[in-house]
Amino acid sequence: MSSKNKYCVIGEKLPHTLSPQIHSLFFKERNIEGSYGIREFSKSEIEGARSELIAYDGFNVTIPYKQTVMSMLDRISDEAKTIGAVNTVKNCGGTLEGYNTDPYGFRCLLEVNGIDPRGKSAAVLGSGGAAKSVLYALKSMGVSSLCYAKREEDAYIDGYDSVTYAQLDNMSGYLIVNTTPVGMYPEVGVSAVSESVLERFDAAADVVYNPAMTEFTRKALSLGKRAVSGLYMLVAQAIGSQSIWRGESVKAEDIKPIFNVIQRDYFRQHGGNIYLTGLMSCGKSTLGRLLSEAKGMNFIDADSYIEQREGRSIADMFAEGEDVFRAAEKSAMLEIAGMRNTVVATGGGAVLGAVNRDAMRLSGIVVYIDKDVDKIVRDVDCSGRPLLAGGADRLYSIYRVRKHLYEDSCHAIVNNNGSIEQGLAALKEVIGED
């Protein structure tokens, strides 16, 4: 008999797996007593592993055993059969059932970022196991035209059209997805396709999650395209396993807090930026400077950076039209996203641009500095703000439009209605600093 809520991940070598951290956070969020361990099996051991694994309530499977494990299972879901791989096994009273949650994780990645391929066309780079999961997910979402790119020596994937990489130069569509390991750490700085290919698509998704901003996503962003990477997919497919094991539906709001912690810790380890968002005069610049000094990081006030970069004032840019300023802002935010270890006080409207939001979340931790609008109205000088020519009422209107963007795009929210010292302490706490 298995003990209650006992799970693990199996593979050949698992020194860097994030699975234990993800599942431990799930247990903490749900106030569940459970354990999640790591079990490495050599290729000679995996065939006889069932007798040991039957002691678990369930387990995850990673490379190179997603196909190998299928022979030891009693039942396999249609989804896993179609994909030809299992990444989740549930123990039902000694009967082992196999599933694949990668399609679920990929659908979650697109949905949480507002990328909707339904009724549109998509191309998938690669023909391996990850490609099969992504193709399955996209087909289930109702993509109207779907193909994958393969090298001549690669096997075909049944049920899908294939093209060569050279043929991609003549294609266009809504979404392009990289499922190859090209650009994955430590072989960074390379992309599976060129900018000329990415230019023909509206959005790009990379299943690679280390680095968070791959060359593939960096190139897409530089072209003004939507771009997302695979860390959210990793977290979502892991939580999808819990849904199977526990027989409970999992919603986006269950995944987001866990993802935010995982991404926060990733950027703390890899020198990511810290972006402060929020309304004008909410305290971003003051808190940003103090935080940068405390952490020994660089500091940038995005609006000042834009003025220096453009050689003119924001007011002058707005005089030509808000779109002129927003274009300059987007270019500046992409440059800043290429920096490291920098605290960035963003402009109040930076979150309006989807590319800006993607660039921030692919390069650092995003914290929304929330201050009551009534308090801001008492302090802000409307005369020097192009968007506030209509006075305080205009600020309330701006807040109503932007509030959900601030909340949806951030990793954490800091209430800045108290003293500066309180705001700084709260900011340090949410980024994981004492």
Side-chain angles (χ1 to χ4, degrees):
M1 292 291 293
S2 62
S3 60
K4 189 179 175 78
N5 297 323
K6 181 182 178 182
Y7 308 101
C8 72
V9 58
I10 68 170
E12 186 175 22
K13 296 179 180 179
L14 301 168
H16 305 299
T17 177
L18 292 174
S19 294
Q21 184 184 3
I22 294 170
H23 290 280
S24 294
L25 286 167
F26 177 85
F27 293 146
K28 183 178 179 181
E29 285 285 325
R30 293 292 187 91
N31 196 26
I32 295 170
E33 288 191 16
S35 65
Y36 190 97
I38 296 172
R39 183 63 177 93
E40 296 180 341
F41 292 96
S42 67
K43 287 184 172 66
S44 62
E45 294 172 329
I46 190 64
E47 296 292 346
R50 179 183 170 118
S51 60
E52 178 178 337
L53 294 172
I54 204 76
Y56 291 88
D57 292 291
F59 55 93
N60 291 122
V61 188
T62 189
I63 53 173
Y65 298 138
K66 290 186 177 184
Q67 292 82 35
T68 307
V69 75
M70 296 174 78
S71 63
M72 73 172 67
L73 305 180
D74 301 296
R75 287 198 290 266
I76 299 174
S77 71
D78 291 340
E79 189 172 52
K81 286 180 182 177
T82 301
I83 295 168
V86 163
N87 75 345
T88 299
V89 176
K90 181 178 182 178
N91 184 350
C92 298
T95 297
L96 298 185
E97 300 179 346
Y99 301 86
N100 195 312
T101 62
D102 283 335
Y104 169 78
F106 185 71
R107 287 192 296 267
C108 288
L109 170 66
L110 297 185
E111 290 167 3
V112 78
N113 286 286
I115 297 175
D116 186 0
R118 288 175 294 184
K120 302 171 186 174
S121 59
V124 176
L125 307 176
S127 57
K132 292 176 183 177
S133 294
V134 168
L135 287 165
Y136 186 96
L138 290 172
K139 187 175 182 179
S140 72
M141 296 179 77
V143 172
S144 61
S145 177
L146 183 59
C147 68
Y148 68 97
K150 65 183 289 293
R151 298 170 300 181
E152 289 186 7
E153 65 269 25
D154 292 336
Y156 284 93
I157 302 175
D158 290 341
Y160 300 98
D161 294 328
S162 69
V163 297
T164 66
Y165 278 82
Q167 288 174 309
L168 288 170
D169 287 330
N170 300 316
M171 292 181 60
S172 62
Y174 173 69
L175 175 66
I176 185 168
V177 185
N178 177 47
T179 70
T180 77
V182 175
M184 181 187 297
Y185 179 85
E187 304 297 329
V188 300
V190 290
S191 172
V193 292
S194 66
E195 290 180 341
S196 64
V197 173
L198 289 167
E199 178 66 58
R200 295 182 172 88
F201 292 84
D202 297 324
D206 200 333
V207 301
V208 171
Y209 64 87
N210 186 16
M213 184 184 290
T214 60
E215 185 67 6
F216 178 81
T217 53
R218 188 198 67 77
K219 286 179 180 294
L221 286 172
S222 71
L223 295 167
K225 312 297 183 178
R226 294 295 315 278
V228 294
S229 66
L231 188 58
Y232 193 94
M233 176 181 173
L234 177 76
V235 175
Q237 63 82 25
I239 303 307
S241 297
Q242 287 286 348
S243 178
I244 290 170
W245 293 331
R246 303 183 60 77
E248 302 173 354
S249 62
V250 178
K251 301 177 182 178
E253 52 263 35
D254 299 315
I255 300 170
K256 185 176 180 180
I258 297 171
F259 165 72
N260 285 344
V261 172
I262 296 294
Q263 192 170 47
R264 180 199 69 185
D265 291 351
Y266 171 87
F267 283 123
R268 286 179 62 191
Q269 295 170 16
H270 294 84
N273 296 336
I274 299 173
Y275 296 93
L276 306 185
T277 64
L279 279 179
M280 58 193 75
S281 299
C282 67
K284 300 186 297 288
S285 295
T286 300
L287 290 175
R289 288 190 177 90
L290 291 172
L291 181 66
S292 66
E293 292 171 2
K295 291 179 62 63
M297 297 175 67
N298 300 317
F299 173 76
I300 286 178
D301 180 288
D303 282 349
S304 297
Y305 183 88
I306 294 167
E307 289 184 326
Q308 293 174 4
R309 184 177 181 275
E310 298 296 316
R312 52 181 176 159
S313 70
I314 291 175
D316 287 342
M317 284 179 263
F318 263 92
E320 295 183 33
E322 184 176 349
D323 59 331
V324 173
F325 169 73
R326 295 302 173 198
E329 181 179 56
K330 181 172 70 174
S331 297
M333 291 300 294
L334 291 174
E335 286 182 359
I336 293 169
M339 302 175 184
R340 292 169 58 84
N341 294 303
T342 300
V343 180
V344 184
T346 67
V351 295
L352 294 172
V355 170
N356 295 345
R357 300 194 299 270
D358 290 345
M360 287 190 286
R361 290 184 65 83
L362 286 172
S363 61
I365 303 165
V366 184
V367 182
Y368 167 32
I369 306 301
D370 187 15
K371 186 173 182 178
D372 289 347
V373 182
D374 290 342
K375 291 186 177 182
I376 294 177
V377 166
R378 290 199 298 266
D379 300 332
V380 70
D381 179 7
C382 295
S383 63
R385 306 278 187 171
L387 282 178
L388 298 186
D393 287 345
R394 176 64 175 147
L395 184 59
Y396 288 106
S397 176
I398 289 171
Y399 176 70
R400 287 191 293 270
V401 170
R402 297 178 184 175
K403 182 177 185 292
H404 77 95
L405 294 174
Y406 291 136
E407 294 174 343
D408 292 346
S409 63
C410 74
H411 294 95
I413 299 174
V414 165
N415 183 300
N416 195 32
N417 288 306
S419 67
I420 289 297
E421 291 76 17
Q422 289 172 324
L424 181 61
L427 181 54
K428 288 181 177 180
E429 182 179 354
V430 300
I431 64 172
E433 298 292 333
D434 297 329

